Amino acid sequence: MIGACQARPAPGPSSIEAETPAAATSTTAAASSAPSGSIATLVVNDGGPDAPLGPTIIATGMPTPILSEEAWPAKDPTKASDDRKGVVRLGYLRKGQVAEVKNAEPSVKQSCPEGWYELVEGGFVCGRYATRDPADKQLKNAPHAPLTDGPLPYQYGLNLTNGTPLYRRLPLRAERKQYEHGLAVGKKRHKKTDTAEPVGSAEPGAGGADAPSYLGGAEAAPGGGGGGGGTETPWYLQDHKGQKPQVSLDDIKGESGLINVRMVRGFYLALDQEVNGFSGKFWRTTAGEFAPVDHVLVHKPATEFEGVWIGRDAEPRKLPLGWIFGKKARKFTIEDGKVKGGDHLERFTIVKLTGKSQMIEGRGYFETAEGFWMRDFDGTVARPTKPPADLAPNEKWIDVNLKTQTLVAYEGDKPVFATIVSTGRHDDFDKAKDHRTVQGTFTIREKHIASTMEDNTASDGPYSIQDVPWIMYFHGSYALHGAFWHSMFGHERSHGCVNMTPHDAKEMFGWVGPNLPPHWHGVFATKENPGTRVIVHE
């Protein structure tokens, strides 16, 4: 069985056990949330309602670690010196993040010659990875703060072209001509409407009339097209017969210091802002890299349904609840054992059920509070379940049912939130395609507002999604998180993680522990700030 949703190493205890001032590790991770469930406004002090009142620091590292003491964790805790025993990583800030500190002057120690800043929310940050100057040149390419007014923390874009270069800096015209020659342009313009659409029929190596001026038409580029410098045709200029290229993440690494990676069609980028360069327009990503706008289709977010907060704001619905996901679902009536179809039911309709059900001619039907009957294969049902025997009074916990593809959050024995999810696809016959979600009892280990997930898989090639939103890891690389790239909720769909709509994931992110202090980007569970229990079963 292939592992779950593979993330780039998180900047915490699970991946970086020891840290010294000269050995910080970079990652694409994300932003912050208030423990109440609302996301804190992450901006430079502008006098707004969430602006810090005292002295502040601005994170310059990606990430900027937050430690429990003025020291770095030991790689081997059993061999730690007295001043490093018990030191743990509490969380981290992202580059550009503003955090309030108790004192403007840091505490200089041998472990951090630049001095340690103590955060008002707890924890310590080494001054090597922070500044008090908003004009510091290290902040030049810092990403904008996560968005707070919708279900997604960032804007996202879909890469449309095999081989799209992800540049480390804005390229010159000659460099674009060299490295983008032969690529099918990701979009074309309609003369009448001037609207953009993906190009689905462009052949590899096509330049021609639609090629931008910087590619120089059909003129041959230096290095044999694509800038590789060899005679072998690069993978992204080969004809893959409409299939996903069978390449690895190592295969798509850039061929020069200018290019970080050659993206596969279908990769997603987290977009920071659009920038104009001498060689054209680019999207700068939240990681500070640049993708040509020609090859990126901006994702348009849509919230098709929202989970139910049971008992909140006079919400009348309670378990059991039915979710409709069949596109041809109908309302049914049953009289004298005969079933009759009625009006159409929209996809993702949520219906309150009475608890009564019938089996007729091998099909299950569930009675709704409105009086009609819901057919079993038109949707799924979320039902209450028995709490764990060792549950503390009012303890929060989450029940994920793989059979029904539902998630129900509880406080003690009281269900408080219910929704449908997409868990890992299972395959009993082909291990390469078996991505089933792990079963068992776990606790949330760490939370990230967003972090990049990428991996090679034996069956469908590599995938990469920058800044996957609202990640809550509970076992290894298995996590609850938002998924904006599909709407197959109620069906198995993922590589092992529990996919939720971005809206529902954001709701759960604010509800579960460990609590994320305001103005932090990620947090790791500790004894003082424990994670919420998660039970996964069929």
Side-chain angles (χ1 to χ4, degrees):
M1 181 176 70
I2 303 299
C5 309
Q6 298 294 326
R8 291 181 183 174
S14 60
S15 61
I16 308 173
E17 296 179 356
E19 184 78 60
T20 65
T25 300
S26 176
T27 189
T28 299
S32 83
S33 166
S36 63
S38 62
I39 304 304
T41 304
L42 308 181
V43 295
V44 175
N45 188 346
D46 61 357
D50 293 318
L53 299 177
T56 60
I57 58 170
I58 309 171
T60 58
M62 187 79 119
T64 292
I66 302 171
L67 289 306
S68 61
E69 304 289 344
E70 294 175 322
W72 300 97
K75 185 174 182 179
D76 184 352
T78 62
K79 299 179 181 179
S81 58
D82 290 342
D83 62 335
R84 299 176 72 184
K85 287 182 178 178
V87 177
V88 297
R89 199 175 311 276
L90 302 178
Y92 62 95
L93 307 173
R94 194 176 204 178
K95 190 175 184 179
Q97 177 63 52
V98 179
E100 189 173 3
V101 294
K102 292 185 176 181
N103 297 294
E105 294 300 322
S107 173
V108 177
K109 297 284 182 76
Q110 184 177 358
S111 58
C112 177
E114 296 81 5
W116 292 94
Y117 291 97
E118 184 175 3
L119 304 185
V120 169
E121 297 294 340
F124 299 85
V125 168
C126 177
R128 171 164 291 195
Y129 308 114
T131 180
R132 298 203 63 240
D133 180 9
D136 193 307
K137 63 181 181 180
Q138 297 180 84
L139 301 174
K140 180 180 179 180
N141 290 328
H144 68 71
L147 305 174
T148 64
D149 57 353
L152 290 172
Y154 300 103
Q155 190 175 27
Y156 296 87
L158 173 67
N159 172 49
L160 298 171
T161 312
N162 284 326
T164 300
L166 199 53
Y167 295 107
R168 289 189 169 95
R169 60 163 170 80
L170 289 174
L172 303 174
R173 286 180 182 269
E175 291 169 330
R176 289 199 74 179
K177 182 177 179 180
Q178 176 182 358
Y179 292 115
E180 294 179 48
H181 184 84
L183 296 183
V185 179
K187 296 179 183 178
K188 64 182 179 181
R189 290 281 174 185
H190 291 289
K191 294 181 180 179
K192 292 183 179 180
T193 62
D194 196 38
T195 57
E197 70 172 16
V199 174
S201 59
E203 294 296 328
D210 287 334
S213 60
Y214 57 79
L215 295 186
E219 179 186 347
T231 57
E232 182 180 351
T233 303
W235 67 267
Y236 49 86
L237 296 182
Q238 298 172 14
D239 186 357
H240 297 281
K241 310 296 182 182
Q243 301 299 311
K244 193 171 184 178
Q246 293 303 300
V247 292
S248 70
L249 293 176
D250 285 336
D251 295 332
I252 67 176
K253 289 181 179 179
E255 66 271 29
S256 74
L258 177 60
I259 300 174
N260 179 35
V261 69
R262 289 276 189 176
M263 292 186 288
V264 176
R265 178 184 173 96
F267 280 16
Y268 276 95
L269 300 171
L271 308 178
D272 182 45
Q273 61 177 288
E274 189 173 333
V275 296
N276 292 316
F278 289 113
S279 60
K281 292 183 178 181
F282 297 83
W283 279 109
R284 191 178 77 185
T285 71
T286 55
E289 297 167 330
F290 299 89
V293 296
D294 311 75
H295 302 284
V296 177
L297 182 66
V298 177
H299 172 74
K300 296 180 179 179
T303 300
E304 297 182 281
F305 70 94
E306 297 180 1
V308 178
W309 280 105
I310 301 167
R312 177 182 290 189
D313 299 328
E315 168 62 61
R317 293 171 294 185
K318 59 182 181 180
L319 298 183
L321 291 172
W323 265 265
I324 302 296
F325 49 68
K327 295 182 179 180
K328 297 183 179 180
R330 302 166 69 185
K331 297 179 179 180
F332 291 90
T333 57
I334 300 177
E335 294 183 7
D336 299 326
K338 295 183 178 180
V339 180
K340 182 179 180 180
D343 295 338
H344 173 72
L345 273 172
E346 292 293 332
R347 187 176 182 223
F348 295 133
T349 297
I350 304 173
V351 293
K352 182 180 178 181
L353 304 177
T354 65
K356 295 181 180 180
S357 62
Q358 293 190 44
M359 288 290 296
I360 300 177
E361 297 182 354
R363 292 259 60 92
Y365 295 86
F366 308 101
E367 186 183 44
T368 71
E370 297 180 38
F372 65 87
W373 293 76
M374 169 187 165
R375 186 170 52 184
D376 55 5
F377 67 73
D378 288 332
T380 191
V381 177
R383 301 178 177 86
T385 190
K386 187 177 180 181
D390 61 344
L391 197 71
N394 299 317
E395 179 186 341
K396 292 180 177 180
W397 61 286
I398 289 176
D399 179 84
V400 177
N401 190 313
L402 302 180
K403 183 177 181 180
T404 61
Q405 292 292 292
T406 58
L407 178 150
V408 180
Y410 292 84
E411 293 180 2
D413 60 358
K414 178 184 176 183
V416 296
F417 183 82
T419 192
I420 55 175
V421 297
S422 287
T423 62
R425 291 169 293 183
H426 80 278
D427 192 313
D428 294 328
F429 306 102
D430 189 343
K431 290 185 177 181
K433 297 180 180 179
D434 191 8
H435 304 291
R436 69 187 71 201
T437 302
V438 64
Q439 297 185 51
T441 299
F442 315 98
T443 57
I444 302 293
R445 182 186 73 241
E446 57 193 80
K447 299 195 315 188
H448 311 265
I449 282 189
S451 185
T452 292
M453 289 186 173
E454 56 187 18
D455 190 29
N456 298 302
T457 59
S459 60
D460 53 4
Y463 68 87
S464 178
I465 304 173
Q466 292 186 350
D467 279 343
V468 172
W470 319 122
I471 301 175
M472 298 157 272
Y473 284 107
F474 59 84
H475 178 70
S477 56
Y478 293 90
L480 311 170
H481 65 74
F484 59 83
W485 53 91
H486 76 83
S487 60
M488 294 297 293
F489 302 102
H491 302 277
E492 292 182 352
R493 175 64 170 74
S494 80
H495 286 88
C497 285
V498 179
N499 288 185
M500 309 172 71
T501 67
H503 171 276
D504 289 351
K506 183 179 180 181
E507 295 289 299
M508 285 293 93
F509 188 89
W511 183 80
V512 302
N515 292 327
L516 186 67
H519 310 292
W520 289 29
H521 289 238
V523 65
F524 305 103
T526 62
K527 291 182 179 180
E528 297 74 24
N529 188 17
T532 298
R533 188 183 319 202
V534 177
I535 299 176
V536 183
H537 64 94
E538 291 183 336

